[in-house]
Amino acid sequence: MSDSQPDIRQAIEWFRGKRGESIVEQGVTEPREPRFLQPERPLNPKLAQLLADIGIRTLYEHQATAFDLAEAGHDVLVTTGTSSGKTLCYNLPVLQRSIREPAAKALYLFPTKALAQDQLGKLRKLAPDVECDTYDGDTPKSARAGIRQTADIILTNPDMLHLAILPNFSMWARFFRSLRYVVLDEMHAYSGVFGSHVALIMRRLRRLCEWQGSKPQFIACSATIANGPELFEDLIGKPPTTVSDDAAVVGRRHLVMWNPPESGGRRMSSHAESAQILATLVWMGFRTIAFTRSRLAAEVVLRYAREGLQGIDPALARRIESYRAGYTPKERREIEKRLFGGELLGITATDAMELGIDVGDLDAVVMDGYPGSIGSLRQQTGRAGRSGREAVGFLVARDNPLEQYYMRHPDLLLGGKAEAVRVHPGNPFILSAQLKCAAHERPLSVSELEGFPPQSLDLLEDMEETGEIVRRSGLWIHPSNDSPAAQVDIRGGGANQYTIFCNGEVLGTLEEWRAFQSAHPEAVYLHRGEQYVVQEFDEATRTVKVTQQRVDYYTQPMIESAVNPTAEIESRRVGNAEVRLCSMSVRSQMTGFRRKHLHDDTVLATVDYLMPAHEMATIGLEIVIDHVNLDTRKIEPWTEGVHAVEHLLVGLAPSFVQCETRDLGSTYVGAEIGRTGGTIYVFDDIPGGIGFSEALLSSASEWFERVVEQLSACTCDDGCPSCVLSPW
């Protein structure tokens, strides 16, 4: 390839010429001219000069509107597109207030540390005289007291607010007394378990602020979602004034839907295809990010891409990296520095990087698998083509029912609407844990429960009976001086972390559930493109020891579940099935693992290996099928048919609910020999449930119809991962 960088359309035509059979559809978003507006409430001259110093002399219409609303005292939600300048929607009112009231404080909350670091750089560039700093788990303990005392704006994340700031409220009293703004950036990231915890952390924060006499305004920014105002109110506890008319410049964007070819009855690995596209784009000179669905996939794609570039240009192979959770703080800062500085031409990342981190002028995005929602699809493609530049995104489908369904119906993605984002702060496990945290921070009264979910009183009384909470003078108090927050993992992975060691050096960390499934003896652990094989797994010390080895496979756990419905909540008849929403007791256990070939996902071996069982109470669906009437080319009747339907139901569930297949658990019970039918259980794979099963019940008719359509449309003769065989 020549040194001159080809334009986007030439690159797409190059791919079409080489691999046209893989391109299912190409969507194009036409460019849009910007609209500008001066705020009705004038910017302070000092603030206007700060903007001019970085080249901004006028505001987009939505930025000016958000500024006016915040200045008028409203809580504001901004839901405009990627790269629309939402950062100024909160920085401007915060800085305006800081100029007017020098003692005023602001708290910025971001879902990731990397995003906070990125926004800190922008803020310091805009307002170099304002005292601002990050305060997170990577902040040296020696620096924390100084930041608490001097910072006007603190950038942190909900984890740190939960673990370190709110439990030590007396050390922060001065900051909270002067707190005027709380910013919740990337609001759409707060869904499911994480979002449910954040909703209750916001109530803890508001409660302590009110005790100190402050009532901060809230400003939230979000990608376009179907229920922005509703989610804001669920998270913050009060309604917003919403700004949603995007006036920013938009460049032409292309979305190429890419289906890997079939070979020997199996579709080629999306990892290998994504790596090839990434390596080709980097070779062409495009700065590219490849999003993957898991940490393992990020490492696999990096390894393939490096191998592809090594024989062409070893220097290029060194200019791609991976970025994911589990790296040490030092490694993350090193990668971020190379990324933000433009040294890296390509990066593989999990979906955390889809958030509003400015990684420079990216030209292209590769998505290794459908990212789970239309909202995330647009977020990820929007990471490229900022400031009106033309850009391209490649969506590389995996061989599973959902993604193959979308490959046959590309219009559902290209023209579909963004989904709703749901939280469930009433989950009894989440709510009880957060109530204990609140009671530890300050005695909790009945009147204060008004802002919490309605079942809070019952849960407090239950915890009083068990001694987890005590009641004195009408107030609930946590009976220990030790904060319960340390035992509450707000991201749902469990409080216990396992540390990975290689030759005595810390390689990374894993949540307990992830360690049980991915770091058992003989498992392959991938880190920054290198392979390590687990030698020792120690539950007592929560440590894993690995050695670096080159192997041609990766490992995948096999999980078995047993379900016992405990109470029926609701039921309805759908076609030939009775669908019951139930509370359930679920017992899950890893029974073994598969070794799968790196390049085509072929199963090389299946190994029996038992890990400790895990039990939980949750919410799920009991689907009792009268008979199975499916394509007998692909499945046998009775038990095999029920098993096939189970795979299809779980595989297609994310097209109705904003979740991933791994957010759901499932199992089945076949009918007696000589009969058709059976029972399928699909459940929320989180203690207490998170609302997925309820949403699936409401969409059950369309859900079942899509299952039948998927099976009928698949061209295979005897079942494949695109229809009845589980690819997970």
Side-chain angles (χ1 to χ4, degrees):
M1 184 62 63
S2 65
D3 292 336
S4 61
Q5 178 177 316
D7 67 27
I8 293 294
R9 278 167 280 187
Q10 286 179 338
I12 294 173
E13 288 309 309
W14 186 91
F15 278 104
R16 192 178 295 279
K18 295 289 186 180
R19 294 287 304 279
E21 74 283 357
S22 295
I23 297 179
V24 173
E25 188 62 85
Q26 178 184 341
V28 179
T29 301
E30 293 300 328
R32 183 184 65 212
E33 293 298 317
R35 301 193 311 274
F36 300 103
L37 183 70
Q38 289 298 324
E40 294 180 4
R41 296 169 181 262
L43 294 172
N44 184 287
K46 182 178 178 181
L47 180 55
Q49 185 59 52
L50 290 175
L51 288 172
D53 290 344
I54 61 170
I56 298 175
R57 298 189 180 278
T58 186
L59 301 178
Y60 290 135
E61 190 176 287
H62 61 270
Q63 293 171 330
T65 301
F67 175 81
D68 284 333
L69 289 170
E71 279 288 280
H74 293 276
D75 296 300
V76 181
L77 168 63
V78 182
T79 58
T80 54
T82 308
S83 307
S84 60
K86 290 191 286 288
T87 299
L88 284 183
C89 293
Y90 55 80
N91 274 340
L92 294 185
V94 167
L95 294 174
Q96 179 96 338
R97 185 63 177 263
S98 180
I99 293 169
R100 185 168 64 240
E101 183 188 346
K105 307 291 185 183
L107 183 68
Y108 288 10
L109 296 170
F110 303 95
T112 67
K113 296 175 185 176
L115 183 54
Q117 288 286 341
D118 179 57
Q119 294 297 330
L120 176 65
K122 291 181 178 179
L123 185 56
R124 285 177 169 169
K125 182 179 178 182
L126 173 62
D129 294 333
V130 174
E131 290 289 337
C132 55
D133 216 327
T134 54
Y135 193 95
D136 56 35
D138 294 344
T139 304
K141 287 184 169 55
S142 59
R144 295 183 181 184
I147 294 172
R148 283 196 304 269
Q149 295 300 317
T150 63
D152 299 310
I153 303 173
I154 286 180
L155 299 85
T156 187
N157 50 60
D159 312 72
M160 199 67 174
L161 184 61
H162 161 73
L163 286 168
I165 297 176
L166 296 180
N168 297 294
F169 179 74
S170 60
M171 298 163 58
W172 289 84
R174 177 173 169 271
F175 182 87
F176 284 119
R177 276 196 299 272
S178 301
L179 187 60
R180 300 294 177 260
Y181 279 106
V182 176
V183 170
L184 200 66
D185 201 6
E186 304 291 342
M187 184 188 74
H188 57 278
Y190 301 109
S191 64
V193 174
F194 184 37
S196 301
H197 276 290
V198 170
L200 296 167
I201 292 168
M202 291 298 99
R203 284 153 178 79
R204 287 163 54 194
L205 171 63
R206 288 182 59 197
R207 172 176 173 260
L208 294 177
C209 285
E210 289 174 8
W211 183 47
Q212 288 295 315
S214 66
K215 292 188 176 182
Q217 288 174 246
F218 285 80
I219 300 177
C221 295
S222 173
T224 303
I225 56 175
N227 63 332
E230 177 189 346
L231 180 62
F232 182 103
E233 188 165 2
D234 286 342
L235 291 171
I236 307 301
K238 51 182 178 176
T241 303
T242 303
V243 178
S244 58
D245 189 7
D246 190 343
V249 62
V250 174
R252 180 178 283 105
R253 286 179 177 153
H254 305 263
L255 177 60
V256 177
M257 298 184 68
W258 184 286
N259 207 12
E262 291 183 287
S263 176
R266 293 184 59 86
R267 198 168 296 280
M268 296 295 290
S269 164
S270 68
H271 303 331
E273 292 283 287
S274 297
Q276 186 178 48
I277 296 170
L278 169 62
T280 302
L281 288 167
V282 169
W283 171 62
M284 287 177 168
F286 292 118
R287 294 196 71 214
T288 306
I289 186 168
F291 288 108
T292 65
R293 307 300 296 131
S294 68
R295 298 180 185 184
L296 174 63
E299 298 287 356
V300 170
V301 172
L302 172 65
R303 185 175 183 85
Y304 291 169
R306 279 183 175 168
E307 288 175 354
L309 288 170
Q310 191 66 38
I312 301 171
D313 187 344
L316 282 180
R318 293 191 292 271
R319 295 186 68 184
I320 56 175
E321 258 290 2
S322 61
Y323 186 95
R324 61 168 179 79
Y327 289 172
T328 65
K330 181 180 178 181
E331 286 178 316
R332 289 200 303 270
R333 297 293 91 83
E334 173 196 328
I335 296 169
E336 288 164 11
K337 182 179 179 181
R338 295 180 66 201
L339 178 63
F340 301 153
E343 180 185 345
L344 293 178
L345 285 178
I347 191 163
T348 65
T350 53
D351 56 9
M353 192 63 83
E354 85 178 37
L355 305 175
I357 298 171
D358 186 357
V359 294
D361 295 325
L362 290 177
D363 305 294
V365 171
V366 180
M367 290 163 283
D368 179 14
Y370 175 61
S373 70
I374 292 174
S376 287
L377 177 72
R378 291 174 181 166
Q379 275 290 105
Q380 292 188 2
T381 55
R383 291 274 62 82
R386 289 171 174 254
S387 304
R389 290 164 59 95
E390 191 166 9
V392 62
F394 288 82
L395 173 59
V396 182
R398 294 175 295 176
D399 200 9
N400 64 48
L402 176 65
E403 297 181 31
Q404 291 307 309
Y405 181 84
Y406 281 139
M407 286 294 127
R408 288 199 306 277
H409 301 280
D411 55 301
L412 294 179
L413 292 185
L414 296 175
K417 295 181 179 179
E419 304 87 347
V421 176
R422 305 291 183 189
V423 295
H424 186 40
N427 175 299
F429 296 92
I430 295 172
L431 180 54
S432 60
Q434 290 292 335
L435 286 171
K436 285 191 283 188
C437 294
H440 176 267
E441 290 150 8
R442 181 172 176 265
L444 190 58
S445 67
V446 174
S447 62
E448 291 177 307
L449 296 181
E450 184 176 341
F452 287 81
Q455 55 269 58
S456 298
L457 179 59
D458 290 339
L459 285 173
L460 282 167
E461 290 176 343
D462 290 344
M463 288 190 287
E464 186 180 349
E465 290 184 7
T466 60
E468 297 171 87
I469 293 285
V470 298
R471 195 172 187 180
R472 295 174 185 163
S473 303
L475 300 174
W476 282 284
I477 301 170
H478 189 259
S480 171
N481 290 328
D482 296 328
S483 170
Q487 305 306 314
V488 181
D489 176 15
I490 68 173
R491 296 186 187 252
N496 297 328
Q497 294 277 326
Y498 275 65
T499 304
I500 315 295
F501 288 94
C502 181
N503 297 325
E505 298 290 328
V506 174
L507 196 64
T509 59
L510 287 173
E511 301 94 330
E512 183 175 62
W513 70 269
R514 199 186 298 269
F516 272 46
Q517 294 186 9
S518 305
H520 53 82
E522 298 186 56
V524 176
Y525 177 72
L526 293 175
H527 184 85
R528 300 188 71 175
E530 298 300 325
Q531 295 171 303
Y532 300 83
V533 177
V534 176
Q535 305 298 324
E536 295 181 27
F537 181 94
D538 193 326
E539 287 185 68
T541 61
R542 297 196 187 98
T543 58
V544 176
K545 293 182 180 179
V546 301
T547 58
Q548 189 169 354
Q549 296 183 34
R550 289 183 65 88
V551 294
D552 62 355
Y553 62 87
Y554 65 95
T555 50
Q556 181 186 66
M558 298 184 297
I559 310 298
E560 289 187 359
S561 299
V563 175
N564 178 33
T566 53
E568 182 178 310
I569 301 170
E570 183 183 348
S571 68
R572 64 179 63 177
R573 186 76 185 177
V574 182
N576 65 333
E578 186 75 19
V579 186
R580 301 167 185 149
L581 181 70
C582 304
S583 57
M584 296 177 173
S585 174
V586 179
R587 185 178 187 273
S588 299
Q589 185 171 29
M590 178 183 141
T591 58
F593 61 92
R594 300 181 184 94
R595 293 194 183 100
K596 301 183 77 172
H597 197 281
L598 276 172
H599 290 279
D600 60 11
D601 294 331
T602 301
V603 177
L604 302 175
T606 299
V607 181
D608 293 332
Y609 197 97
L610 281 178
M611 292 293 280
H614 170 68
E615 295 191 21
M616 70 173 177
T618 188
I619 302 295
L621 296 175
E622 181 182 45
I623 304 169
V624 182
I625 305 173
D626 296 338
H627 63 277
V628 176
N629 184 20
L630 297 176
D631 191 336
T632 55
R633 290 178 305 132
K634 301 180 175 69
I635 58 175
E636 296 296 329
W638 308 310
T639 298
E640 290 83 355
V642 177
H643 194 183
V645 174
E646 176 212 348
H647 289 167
L648 279 162
L649 285 170
V650 174
L652 291 170
S655 64
F656 296 97
V657 183
Q658 188 171 4
C659 71
E660 300 182 37
T661 53
R662 63 188 177 194
D663 295 326
L664 300 170
S666 67
T667 189
Y668 73 99
V669 179
E672 297 175 0
I673 297 297
R675 293 180 54 203
T676 58
T679 302
I680 296 169
Y681 298 99
V682 177
F683 52 88
D684 293 14
D685 200 9
I686 182 68
I690 206 67
F692 298 140
S693 295
E694 291 92 329
L696 287 171
L697 177 64
S698 67
S699 302
S701 180
E702 296 88 348
W703 186 23
F704 292 179
E705 288 175 6
R706 193 162 289 184
V707 165
V708 175
E709 193 274 343
Q710 175 73 5
L711 186 72
S712 301
C714 190
T715 59
C716 73
D717 292 326
D718 54 2
C720 70
S722 295
C723 57
V724 302
L725 300 182
S726 175
W728 300 286

